[in-house]
Amino acid sequence: MQRRDFLKKTGWTVSATAAAMSAPRLALAQSGPIRIGLMAPLSGVVAAGGREIVEGFNMYWEEIGSTVAGRKVEVVVEDDAGNPDTALQKARRLVEQQKVHFLFGNLLANTGLAVASYVKGNGTPYFIPVIAADDLTQRDRVPNVIRVAGYTASQMPRPLADWALKQGYKRIATISQDYTFGHEQCGGFAQVFSEGGGTIVNQFWNPLNTADFSPYLGQLASAKIDAVFAMELGADANRFMQQYANFGLKGQLPLLGAQNFTDQSVIRTMGPECEGIVSSAHFAEGSENPATQKFVKAYSAKYGKMPSLYGFSHYSGAMWVHQAMETVKGNVEARDAFLDAVRKTVLTDSPLGRPVRLDDYGNPIYDVFIRKVVKNADGKYWNVPVGTYENVSQFWTYDREKYLKQPPYSRDFQGIRKG
Amino acid sequence: MSAATGPTAGPGAAQENGAARARPLLWGAVITAFFGLLPFVLSTYQVSVATEVLIFALLAMSIDVLSGFAGRVSLGHGAMFGASTYVVIYWTSVLGGSPWTGLALGIVAATGLSAVFAWFCTRVSGVYFLLLTLALGMIVWGVCLRWTSVTGGENGIRGVGRPELLADPLVFYYTVLAVVMALTWVIWRFVRSPFGLTLRGVRDSESRMRSLGYNVSLHMFLAFTVSGFFAGVAGALYALFNNFVSPSTVQLSQSVEGLLMAIIGGVGTLAGSFIGAALIITLENVVSEYTARWPTVLGLMFILAMIFAPEGVIGAVRRLFARRKT
């Protein structure tokens, strides 16, 4: 009996000591700092974008002095390596060990989906300004996952399709990276364009990291089309534009792009090959809006480059959550009230310079710009608005119930109306 | 039988035959006790890391069966591991089936897949075996990536959570511990069996085994399939643990990581897999807390390990003891 008692006591002492050592901050949780877990790919193929996520996010908290409603804000940054399994592990650590109040970030859709499936189980709020996978705010919603200052993949290309119809384009071919983000963006474009009377002549799907686009470019050149819609990002976008110009298609065949195609993260290092490409997005660094220009100047001064979508989205996302935290007076421990405040927040002073609010499904409604790449006064290329579509939601002009009954976009389903 | 025992006649053979018959059991007891007591001193998050260590130790052991005992280094085990994970998650979340049936199906799928792999791979050895398993693994990865309608492509599939019975992290941890330790015993019996000895015979001299009348291809086929079964169990446990699957679960780096764990711990020791898995996963977690350059640190560690402890941690420790004795 005594021995068992001894064992029991030792066991308790050991575990209590360990617990005390591993979680010194726990006791102070209510009054202590607000801890935010930011995940971004800081190693791996998309590391450049990941760094811009951290830059944009930190820039905002620095600007406001890292204090919200009298509580200090602490940002814990973790590298998700662009790998869903790593992202999941890091999310677990941030929540269970670092005791963060909520999670933020991730870049690749698969990392975001992995983390979303984890927070679904434990209710930790998770904000995703860049994760664009359609179904996270459509068919597979998770109540505590909110797309602050984010967008769905198919949301942005739809206005561009409408604009293309108005330009008189009748026949368009698409080329897109062959993965879900590509299928979804391309689907948004193809559905609206074909429903408006246009014809999607052909759809090409290139594997990620395609070095040589010539087989596709040859077919595009001989396809008798009015324009090309391209969805490429990162190095693929860069290579596609280079080779499009080298093949002599530039200037002959109008090139339209998904928003990431001409994002600053791509065109920053490019020459005249990118000039004149038309794309659509809620953010245009070349917009004349004073709020946008103020942000672009501040970001350029701080980091020596113009902000990309990644930096912008996380800056605005931080602002959004900040506003909600003020509403609940810094009490982020009351999750339901906090999430509710985030959902009801109307973001007024973001770099967009116009109010942004969420729809009932947790996805923002934006005024979407049709943008054209031009050279600015400093000789750098940037995206300048040439048209605006107001109040574009993730459901475009569709009836939501009806829309949600159609299958998610994939290689096999692009929503194309025949005839 | 002399041919079969001959290959083991290394420095450790004398001890193996004599007094230390019980030593592996002792090792098993030490490992079980160590992992069994961990939850008393660790936080919930750290218990989840320990769960992962156990699952990956099983994967590393399944690779060790081939690389340590049959001399065939495989880069395809991540594919079997991940195939099992895919089947479990697809069965439970897309088809809405029972998780227990799902686990069984996952393991069957992985074993079947490894039988297919084995059928191709028994004909080759050395670097060709490495390349063939690599290629077959890449095919599985490619299928998972491109067959969007079933696998969800790059986005992967979300699971539905663990069954009620295993929902509690501690219960799950001890279940994993029980399964992994039981299988460790099975693997240990397997490699020490007469059949296992023939594998070592093949490792040391394939032509000798052939001339002694052993059907080497058949033995390799069976060994490969059985090792795939163990990888499949690890993958099924991983499905319950991770509750999410995407092509990164079947990709090459998964196979490489499993292999590295076996190598760092000590190839052909089984217990080394636990040490390797614990070292790599703990380091990944601890180092990444301090620097974004954690892959560099890990890489350096692997290089140093290869220079100073080419036989892995267990090999290095053994060498140390052997030196002290003489």
Side-chain angles (χ1 to χ4, degrees), chain B residues 72-126:
Chain B
R72 301 284 196 276
V73 179
S74 159
L75 280 178
H77 275 58
M80 297 163 220
F81 175 91
S84 169
T85 314
Y86 261 108
V87 170
V88 175
I89 298 221
Y90 187 81
W91 177 261
T92 51
S93 77
V94 181
L95 300 180
S98 127
W100 310 109
T101 324
L103 289 175
L105 285 175
I107 296 166
V108 168
T111 315
L113 182 68
S114 75
V116 176
F117 276 31
W119 188 79
F120 284 105
C121 295
T122 49
R123 285 157 186 75
V124 291
S125 61

Short mmCIF file of all heavy atoms in Angstrom, two decimals, chain B residues 72-126:
data_model
loop_
_atom_site.label_atom_id
_atom_site.label_comp_id
_atom_site.label_asym_id
_atom_site.label_seq_id
_atom_site.Cartn_x
_atom_site.Cartn_y
_atom_site.Cartn_z
N ARG B 72 17.90 -4.78 -49.19
CA ARG B 72 17.24 -4.08 -50.30
C ARG B 72 16.72 -2.75 -49.77
O ARG B 72 15.81 -2.72 -48.95
CB ARG B 72 16.05 -4.90 -50.82
CG ARG B 72 16.41 -6.28 -51.32
CD ARG B 72 17.05 -6.19 -52.70
NE ARG B 72 17.07 -7.48 -53.39
CZ ARG B 72 18.00 -8.41 -53.22
NH1 ARG B 72 18.98 -8.21 -52.36
NH2 ARG B 72 17.94 -9.54 -53.90
N VAL B 73 17.31 -1.66 -50.25
CA VAL B 73 16.90 -0.35 -49.77
C VAL B 73 15.72 0.14 -50.60
O VAL B 73 15.83 0.34 -51.80
CB VAL B 73 18.06 0.65 -49.87
CG1 VAL B 73 17.62 2.02 -49.40
CG2 VAL B 73 19.23 0.17 -49.03
N SER B 74 14.58 0.35 -49.94
CA SER B 74 13.36 0.70 -50.66
C SER B 74 13.04 2.18 -50.51
O SER B 74 13.13 2.74 -49.43
CB SER B 74 12.19 -0.12 -50.13
OG SER B 74 10.98 0.52 -50.44
N LEU B 75 12.64 2.79 -51.62
CA LEU B 75 12.14 4.17 -51.57
C LEU B 75 10.67 4.20 -51.95
O LEU B 75 10.14 5.19 -52.42
CB LEU B 75 12.94 5.06 -52.52
CG LEU B 75 14.29 5.53 -51.98
CD1 LEU B 75 15.01 6.36 -53.01
CD2 LEU B 75 14.11 6.32 -50.70
N GLY B 76 9.99 3.07 -51.75
CA GLY B 76 8.59 3.01 -52.14
C GLY B 76 7.63 2.81 -50.98
O GLY B 76 6.43 2.73 -51.17
N HIS B 77 8.16 2.73 -49.77
CA HIS B 77 7.28 2.43 -48.64
C HIS B 77 6.35 3.57 -48.27
O HIS B 77 5.28 3.33 -47.72
CB HIS B 77 8.10 1.98 -47.43
CG HIS B 77 8.41 0.51 -47.47
ND1 HIS B 77 9.10 -0.06 -48.52
CD2 HIS B 77 8.10 -0.50 -46.63
CE1 HIS B 77 9.20 -1.36 -48.29
NE2 HIS B 77 8.61 -1.66 -47.16
N GLY B 78 6.77 4.80 -48.57
CA GLY B 78 5.88 5.93 -48.33
C GLY B 78 4.58 5.77 -49.11
O GLY B 78 3.51 6.13 -48.65
N ALA B 79 4.68 5.18 -50.31
CA ALA B 79 3.50 4.99 -51.15
C ALA B 79 2.52 4.00 -50.53
O ALA B 79 1.31 4.21 -50.55
CB ALA B 79 3.94 4.52 -52.54
N MET B 80 3.06 2.91 -49.96
CA MET B 80 2.15 1.93 -49.32
C MET B 80 1.54 2.51 -48.07
O MET B 80 0.35 2.34 -47.78
CB MET B 80 2.92 0.67 -48.97
CG MET B 80 3.48 -0.03 -50.17
SD MET B 80 4.75 -1.16 -49.60
CE MET B 80 5.95 -0.96 -50.84
N PHE B 81 2.38 3.19 -47.31
CA PHE B 81 1.91 3.89 -46.11
C PHE B 81 0.76 4.82 -46.48
O PHE B 81 -0.33 4.76 -45.91
CB PHE B 81 3.11 4.66 -45.56
CG PHE B 81 2.84 5.56 -44.39
CD1 PHE B 81 2.97 5.09 -43.10
CD2 PHE B 81 2.49 6.90 -44.57
CE1 PHE B 81 2.75 5.91 -42.01
CE2 PHE B 81 2.27 7.73 -43.50
CZ PHE B 81 2.40 7.23 -42.21
N GLY B 82 1.01 5.67 -47.49
CA GLY B 82 0.01 6.66 -47.87
C GLY B 82 -1.21 6.04 -48.53
O GLY B 82 -2.33 6.52 -48.34
N ALA B 83 -1.02 4.96 -49.28
CA ALA B 83 -2.17 4.31 -49.91
C ALA B 83 -3.14 3.84 -48.84
O ALA B 83 -4.36 4.00 -48.96
CB ALA B 83 -1.69 3.12 -50.75
N SER B 84 -2.59 3.30 -47.77
CA SER B 84 -3.43 2.86 -46.67
C SER B 84 -4.17 4.05 -46.05
O SER B 84 -5.38 3.98 -45.79
CB SER B 84 -2.55 2.16 -45.64
OG SER B 84 -3.24 1.93 -44.46
N THR B 85 -3.44 5.16 -45.85
CA THR B 85 -4.08 6.35 -45.30
C THR B 85 -5.23 6.82 -46.19
O THR B 85 -6.32 7.14 -45.71
CB THR B 85 -3.04 7.49 -45.17
OG1 THR B 85 -1.86 6.96 -44.59
CG2 THR B 85 -3.57 8.62 -44.32
N TYR B 86 -4.96 6.84 -47.51
CA TYR B 86 -6.00 7.27 -48.45
C TYR B 86 -7.24 6.39 -48.35
O TYR B 86 -8.36 6.88 -48.31
CB TYR B 86 -5.47 7.22 -49.89
CG TYR B 86 -5.00 8.55 -50.41
CD1 TYR B 86 -3.67 8.83 -50.58
CD2 TYR B 86 -5.93 9.55 -50.73
CE1 TYR B 86 -3.25 10.06 -51.05
CE2 TYR B 86 -5.52 10.78 -51.19
CZ TYR B 86 -4.18 11.03 -51.35
OH TYR B 86 -3.77 12.24 -51.80
N VAL B 87 -7.02 5.08 -48.33
CA VAL B 87 -8.17 4.16 -48.33
C VAL B 87 -8.99 4.36 -47.05
O VAL B 87 -10.21 4.46 -47.10
CB VAL B 87 -7.69 2.70 -48.46
CG1 VAL B 87 -8.84 1.75 -48.19
CG2 VAL B 87 -7.12 2.47 -49.85
N VAL B 88 -8.31 4.47 -45.91
CA VAL B 88 -9.04 4.64 -44.65
C VAL B 88 -9.88 5.92 -44.70
O VAL B 88 -11.07 5.92 -44.38
CB VAL B 88 -8.07 4.70 -43.45
CG1 VAL B 88 -8.84 5.00 -42.17
CG2 VAL B 88 -7.30 3.41 -43.32
N ILE B 89 -9.25 7.02 -45.12
CA ILE B 89 -9.97 8.29 -45.10
C ILE B 89 -11.07 8.32 -46.16
O ILE B 89 -12.17 8.79 -45.91
CB ILE B 89 -8.98 9.47 -45.27
CG1 ILE B 89 -8.02 9.45 -44.09
CG2 ILE B 89 -9.71 10.79 -45.43
CD1 ILE B 89 -7.65 10.74 -43.50
N TYR B 90 -10.79 7.74 -47.33
CA TYR B 90 -11.81 7.72 -48.38
C TYR B 90 -13.01 6.89 -47.91
O TYR B 90 -14.15 7.30 -48.04
CB TYR B 90 -11.23 7.11 -49.67
CG TYR B 90 -12.17 7.19 -50.85
CD1 TYR B 90 -12.27 8.36 -51.58
CD2 TYR B 90 -12.96 6.11 -51.21
CE1 TYR B 90 -13.14 8.46 -52.65
CE2 TYR B 90 -13.83 6.19 -52.28
CZ TYR B 90 -13.91 7.37 -53.00
OH TYR B 90 -14.77 7.46 -54.06
N TRP B 91 -12.73 5.75 -47.31
CA TRP B 91 -13.80 4.86 -46.85
C TRP B 91 -14.66 5.54 -45.78
O TRP B 91 -15.88 5.49 -45.83
CB TRP B 91 -13.19 3.57 -46.30
CG TRP B 91 -14.21 2.62 -45.74
CD1 TRP B 91 -14.54 2.45 -44.43
CD2 TRP B 91 -15.04 1.73 -46.47
NE1 TRP B 91 -15.50 1.50 -44.30
CE2 TRP B 91 -15.85 1.04 -45.54
CE3 TRP B 91 -15.18 1.44 -47.83
CZ2 TRP B 91 -16.78 0.08 -45.92
CZ3 TRP B 91 -16.12 0.48 -48.20
CH2 TRP B 91 -16.90 -0.18 -47.26
N THR B 92 -14.02 6.21 -44.83
CA THR B 92 -14.79 6.78 -43.73
C THR B 92 -15.47 8.09 -44.11
O THR B 92 -16.60 8.33 -43.72
CB THR B 92 -13.92 7.03 -42.49
OG1 THR B 92 -12.76 7.75 -42.90
CG2 THR B 92 -13.51 5.73 -41.84
N SER B 93 -14.78 8.95 -44.88
CA SER B 93 -15.38 10.27 -45.09
C SER B 93 -16.17 10.38 -46.39
O SER B 93 -17.24 10.95 -46.41
CB SER B 93 -14.32 11.37 -45.00
OG SER B 93 -13.56 11.41 -46.16
N VAL B 94 -15.69 9.79 -47.48
CA VAL B 94 -16.44 9.91 -48.74
C VAL B 94 -17.55 8.86 -48.80
O VAL B 94 -18.68 9.16 -49.15
CB VAL B 94 -15.50 9.77 -49.96
CG1 VAL B 94 -16.29 9.93 -51.24
CG2 VAL B 94 -14.40 10.82 -49.90
N LEU B 95 -17.22 7.63 -48.44
CA LEU B 95 -18.23 6.57 -48.52
C LEU B 95 -19.02 6.43 -47.22
O LEU B 95 -20.02 5.72 -47.17
CB LEU B 95 -17.56 5.24 -48.85
CG LEU B 95 -16.79 5.20 -50.18
CD1 LEU B 95 -16.17 3.83 -50.40
CD2 LEU B 95 -17.71 5.54 -51.34
N GLY B 96 -18.55 7.07 -46.16
CA GLY B 96 -19.28 7.03 -44.90
C GLY B 96 -19.28 5.67 -44.22
O GLY B 96 -20.17 5.36 -43.43
N GLY B 97 -18.26 4.87 -44.48
CA GLY B 97 -18.21 3.53 -43.89
C GLY B 97 -17.68 3.53 -42.47
O GLY B 97 -17.28 4.57 -41.93
N SER B 98 -17.69 2.37 -41.87
CA SER B 98 -17.21 2.26 -40.49
C SER B 98 -15.69 2.37 -40.45
O SER B 98 -15.00 1.83 -41.33
CB SER B 98 -17.67 0.92 -39.90
OG SER B 98 -16.56 0.23 -39.37
N PRO B 99 -15.15 3.06 -39.45
CA PRO B 99 -13.70 3.23 -39.39
C PRO B 99 -12.96 1.91 -39.23
O PRO B 99 -11.86 1.76 -39.75
CB PRO B 99 -13.49 4.12 -38.17
CG PRO B 99 -14.78 4.14 -37.43
CD PRO B 99 -15.85 3.82 -38.41
N TRP B 100 -13.59 0.93 -38.54
CA TRP B 100 -12.88 -0.34 -38.32
C TRP B 100 -12.72 -1.09 -39.62
O TRP B 100 -11.64 -1.61 -39.92
CB TRP B 100 -13.62 -1.18 -37.29
CG TRP B 100 -13.93 -0.38 -36.06
CD1 TRP B 100 -15.15 0.06 -35.65
CD2 TRP B 100 -12.98 0.12 -35.10
NE1 TRP B 100 -15.03 0.80 -34.49
CE2 TRP B 100 -13.70 0.85 -34.12
CE3 TRP B 100 -11.59 0.02 -34.97
CZ2 TRP B 100 -13.10 1.48 -33.04
CZ3 TRP B 100 -10.99 0.65 -33.88
CH2 TRP B 100 -11.73 1.36 -32.95
N THR B 101 -13.81 -1.12 -40.43
CA THR B 101 -13.70 -1.72 -41.75
C THR B 101 -12.67 -0.96 -42.57
O THR B 101 -11.88 -1.55 -43.31
CB THR B 101 -15.06 -1.67 -42.49
OG1 THR B 101 -16.09 -1.85 -41.54
CG2 THR B 101 -15.14 -2.70 -43.58
N GLY B 102 -12.70 0.37 -42.43
CA GLY B 102 -11.77 1.21 -43.17
C GLY B 102 -10.33 0.85 -42.86
O GLY B 102 -9.51 0.71 -43.77
N LEU B 103 -10.03 0.66 -41.58
CA LEU B 103 -8.67 0.29 -41.19
C LEU B 103 -8.27 -1.02 -41.85
O LEU B 103 -7.18 -1.14 -42.42
CB LEU B 103 -8.58 0.14 -39.67
CG LEU B 103 -8.67 1.43 -38.85
CD1 LEU B 103 -8.70 1.11 -37.36
CD2 LEU B 103 -7.48 2.33 -39.17
N ALA B 104 -9.19 -1.99 -41.80
CA ALA B 104 -8.88 -3.29 -42.40
C ALA B 104 -8.65 -3.15 -43.89
O ALA B 104 -7.66 -3.66 -44.44
CB ALA B 104 -10.03 -4.26 -42.13
N LEU B 105 -9.53 -2.38 -44.56
CA LEU B 105 -9.39 -2.19 -46.00
C LEU B 105 -8.08 -1.49 -46.34
O LEU B 105 -7.41 -1.85 -47.31
CB LEU B 105 -10.56 -1.38 -46.54
CG LEU B 105 -11.88 -2.12 -46.67
CD1 LEU B 105 -12.98 -1.16 -47.10
CD2 LEU B 105 -11.74 -3.25 -47.68
N GLY B 106 -7.73 -0.49 -45.54
CA GLY B 106 -6.50 0.25 -45.78
C GLY B 106 -5.30 -0.68 -45.73
O GLY B 106 -4.42 -0.63 -46.60
N ILE B 107 -5.28 -1.53 -44.71
CA ILE B 107 -4.14 -2.44 -44.56
C ILE B 107 -4.12 -3.45 -45.70
O ILE B 107 -3.06 -3.74 -46.28
CB ILE B 107 -4.21 -3.13 -43.19
CG1 ILE B 107 -4.07 -2.08 -42.09
CG2 ILE B 107 -3.12 -4.18 -43.06
CD1 ILE B 107 -4.45 -2.56 -40.71
N VAL B 108 -5.31 -3.94 -46.08
CA VAL B 108 -5.38 -4.88 -47.20
C VAL B 108 -4.88 -4.21 -48.48
O VAL B 108 -4.08 -4.78 -49.24
CB VAL B 108 -6.83 -5.38 -47.40
CG1 VAL B 108 -6.96 -6.11 -48.73
CG2 VAL B 108 -7.23 -6.28 -46.24
N ALA B 109 -5.30 -2.94 -48.69
CA ALA B 109 -4.89 -2.22 -49.90
C ALA B 109 -3.38 -2.06 -49.93
O ALA B 109 -2.74 -2.28 -50.97
CB ALA B 109 -5.57 -0.86 -49.95
N ALA B 110 -2.81 -1.68 -48.80
CA ALA B 110 -1.36 -1.47 -48.76
C ALA B 110 -0.63 -2.79 -49.02
O ALA B 110 0.37 -2.82 -49.75
CB ALA B 110 -0.94 -0.89 -47.41
N THR B 111 -1.14 -3.88 -48.44
CA THR B 111 -0.50 -5.17 -48.64
C THR B 111 -0.61 -5.59 -50.11
O THR B 111 0.37 -6.06 -50.70
CB THR B 111 -1.16 -6.24 -47.74
OG1 THR B 111 -1.33 -5.69 -46.44
CG2 THR B 111 -0.30 -7.47 -47.66
N GLY B 112 -1.79 -5.36 -50.70
CA GLY B 112 -1.97 -5.69 -52.10
C GLY B 112 -1.03 -4.89 -52.98
O GLY B 112 -0.37 -5.42 -53.88
N LEU B 113 -0.95 -3.58 -52.67
CA LEU B 113 -0.07 -2.71 -53.45
C LEU B 113 1.38 -3.18 -53.33
O LEU B 113 2.12 -3.21 -54.31
CB LEU B 113 -0.20 -1.27 -52.95
CG LEU B 113 0.62 -0.23 -53.70
CD1 LEU B 113 0.09 -0.06 -55.11
CD2 LEU B 113 0.57 1.12 -52.98
N SER B 114 1.76 -3.55 -52.11
CA SER B 114 3.16 -3.96 -51.94
C SER B 114 3.41 -5.29 -52.65
O SER B 114 4.52 -5.55 -53.11
CB SER B 114 3.54 -4.01 -50.47
OG SER B 114 2.99 -5.14 -49.86
N ALA B 115 2.37 -6.13 -52.77
CA ALA B 115 2.55 -7.37 -53.54
C ALA B 115 2.82 -7.04 -55.00
O ALA B 115 3.67 -7.67 -55.64
CB ALA B 115 1.31 -8.24 -53.42
N VAL B 116 2.11 -6.02 -55.51
CA VAL B 116 2.37 -5.59 -56.89
C VAL B 116 3.79 -5.06 -57.03
O VAL B 116 4.54 -5.44 -57.94
CB VAL B 116 1.35 -4.51 -57.32
CG1 VAL B 116 1.67 -4.00 -58.71
CG2 VAL B 116 -0.06 -5.07 -57.26
N PHE B 117 4.16 -4.19 -56.09
CA PHE B 117 5.54 -3.67 -56.09
C PHE B 117 6.53 -4.83 -56.06
O PHE B 117 7.50 -4.87 -56.80
CB PHE B 117 5.77 -2.80 -54.85
CG PHE B 117 5.32 -1.39 -54.98
CD1 PHE B 117 4.24 -1.04 -55.77
CD2 PHE B 117 5.98 -0.38 -54.29
CE1 PHE B 117 3.82 0.27 -55.88
CE2 PHE B 117 5.58 0.94 -54.39
CZ PHE B 117 4.50 1.26 -55.18
N ALA B 118 6.24 -5.77 -55.15
CA ALA B 118 7.17 -6.88 -54.93
C ALA B 118 7.35 -7.69 -56.21
O ALA B 118 8.46 -8.11 -56.54
CB ALA B 118 6.65 -7.77 -53.81
N TRP B 119 6.22 -7.87 -56.93
CA TRP B 119 6.28 -8.66 -58.14
C TRP B 119 7.29 -8.06 -59.14
O TRP B 119 8.02 -8.76 -59.81
CB TRP B 119 4.88 -8.73 -58.77
CG TRP B 119 4.81 -9.66 -59.91
CD1 TRP B 119 4.71 -11.02 -59.85
CD2 TRP B 119 4.88 -9.32 -61.29
NE1 TRP B 119 4.69 -11.54 -61.11
CE2 TRP B 119 4.80 -10.53 -62.01
CE3 TRP B 119 5.01 -8.12 -62.00
CZ2 TRP B 119 4.83 -10.56 -63.41
CZ3 TRP B 119 5.05 -8.15 -63.38
CH2 TRP B 119 4.95 -9.36 -64.07
N PHE B 120 7.31 -6.71 -59.19
CA PHE B 120 8.26 -6.04 -60.08
C PHE B 120 9.68 -6.10 -59.53
O PHE B 120 10.64 -6.22 -60.27
CB PHE B 120 7.90 -4.56 -60.25
CG PHE B 120 6.74 -4.34 -61.17
CD1 PHE B 120 5.50 -4.02 -60.67
CD2 PHE B 120 6.91 -4.45 -62.54
CE1 PHE B 120 4.43 -3.81 -61.52
CE2 PHE B 120 5.84 -4.24 -63.40
CZ PHE B 120 4.60 -3.92 -62.89
N CYS B 121 9.79 -5.96 -58.20
CA CYS B 121 11.09 -5.64 -57.61
C CYS B 121 11.93 -6.85 -57.25
O CYS B 121 13.11 -6.70 -56.94
CB CYS B 121 10.91 -4.77 -56.37
SG CYS B 121 10.22 -3.16 -56.77
N THR B 122 11.32 -8.05 -57.23
CA THR B 122 12.12 -9.18 -56.77
C THR B 122 13.24 -9.51 -57.74
O THR B 122 14.21 -10.16 -57.39
CB THR B 122 11.25 -10.44 -56.63
OG1 THR B 122 10.49 -10.57 -57.81
CG2 THR B 122 10.36 -10.34 -55.42
N ARG B 123 13.10 -9.05 -58.98
CA ARG B 123 14.09 -9.43 -59.98
C ARG B 123 15.37 -8.62 -59.87
O ARG B 123 16.37 -8.96 -60.48
CB ARG B 123 13.50 -9.24 -61.38
CG ARG B 123 12.51 -10.31 -61.74
CD ARG B 123 11.55 -9.85 -62.82
NE ARG B 123 10.53 -10.86 -63.04
CZ ARG B 123 9.52 -11.07 -62.21
NH1 ARG B 123 9.41 -10.35 -61.10
NH2 ARG B 123 8.65 -12.01 -62.45
N VAL B 124 15.32 -7.54 -59.13
CA VAL B 124 16.49 -6.65 -59.13
C VAL B 124 17.02 -6.45 -57.71
O VAL B 124 16.34 -6.73 -56.73
CB VAL B 124 16.14 -5.28 -59.73
CG1 VAL B 124 15.88 -5.40 -61.20
CG2 VAL B 124 14.96 -4.68 -59.01
N SER B 125 18.24 -5.97 -57.63
CA SER B 125 18.80 -5.65 -56.32
C SER B 125 19.67 -4.41 -56.46
O SER B 125 19.81 -3.86 -57.54
CB SER B 125 19.62 -6.83 -55.80
OG SER B 125 20.68 -7.07 -56.69
N GLY B 126 20.23 -3.99 -55.35
CA GLY B 126 21.13 -2.85 -55.36
C GLY B 126 20.45 -1.58 -55.81
O GLY B 126 19.29 -1.33 -55.50
#
